[in-house]
Amino acid sequence: MVGVAQGTQVLTLDGALPVEFLAPGDRVITRAGARRLVSVSMTAAYGAAVRVAPGALGHDRPEQALTIGAGTQVLVRDWRAKALFGAREALVPVTRLVDGEFVTLAEPGLLRLYALEFDQAEVYYADGVEVSGAAAGALV
């Protein structure tokens, strides 16, 4: 399952908005600049998710507890990237960061995940964490 949980704040040109308020055409702030959102898909299902505690991925990253689909990729740009991948930064499935203390598997339950699609793959900001957004059509 890919996406961020309902209530996650996504950085847009209109400020931080809950992901469920986003719609196609909205301008989302990405690492490459403001990009138009092509689509927002919501999946409601029981499944694997990861909970990231506040500050687990750096100062104020995330700003609050973040629940994210187990198949979602996040960008790491700290010692983890160097230690795990030998690179300055790396886009990795969030499950690779599970440490049992600060990044944990969430309790199974019904979860609403929102996946964002852009014209091309982008990295956007969700509660301060850099999350991978798919290129349009990639989630089909």
Side-chain angles (χ1 to χ4, degrees):
M1 293 177 22
V2 175
V4 296
Q6 183 171 324
T8 300
Q9 299 288 308
V10 175
L11 196 54
T12 74
L13 284 182
D14 294 321
L17 297 174
V19 67
E20 63 271 21
F21 290 2
L22 298 178
D26 286 345
R27 307 247 346 214
V28 173
I29 305 298
T30 72
R31 282 184 50 101
R35 298 292 185 257
R36 286 203 187 277
L37 196 52
V38 172
S39 75
V40 180
S41 59
M42 190 275 290
T43 303
Y46 286 91
V50 174
R51 184 181 179 281
V52 183
L57 299 178
H59 182 68
D60 291 336
R61 293 183 65 222
E63 297 163 355
Q64 59 190 0
L66 172 65
T67 301
I68 190 168
T72 306
Q73 292 188 319
V74 297
L75 184 71
V76 291
R77 297 181 294 126
D78 60 6
W79 62 268
R80 290 171 192 88
K82 186 69 171 167
L84 296 172
F85 306 102
R88 228 181 60 169
E89 60 185 35
L91 199 56
V92 300
V94 70
T95 53
R96 294 283 309 269
L97 303 177
V98 171
D99 61 13
E101 186 174 350
F102 301 105
V103 181
T104 58
L105 294 176
E107 291 293 321
L110 183 62
L111 185 63
R112 284 193 172 103
L113 290 177
Y114 292 80
L116 306 184
E117 289 186 303
F118 301 89
D119 284 328
Q120 61 186 25
E122 299 284 352
V123 173
Y124 66 94
Y125 300 92
D127 285 333
V129 174
E130 294 164 304
V131 176
S132 177
L139 296 176
V140 177

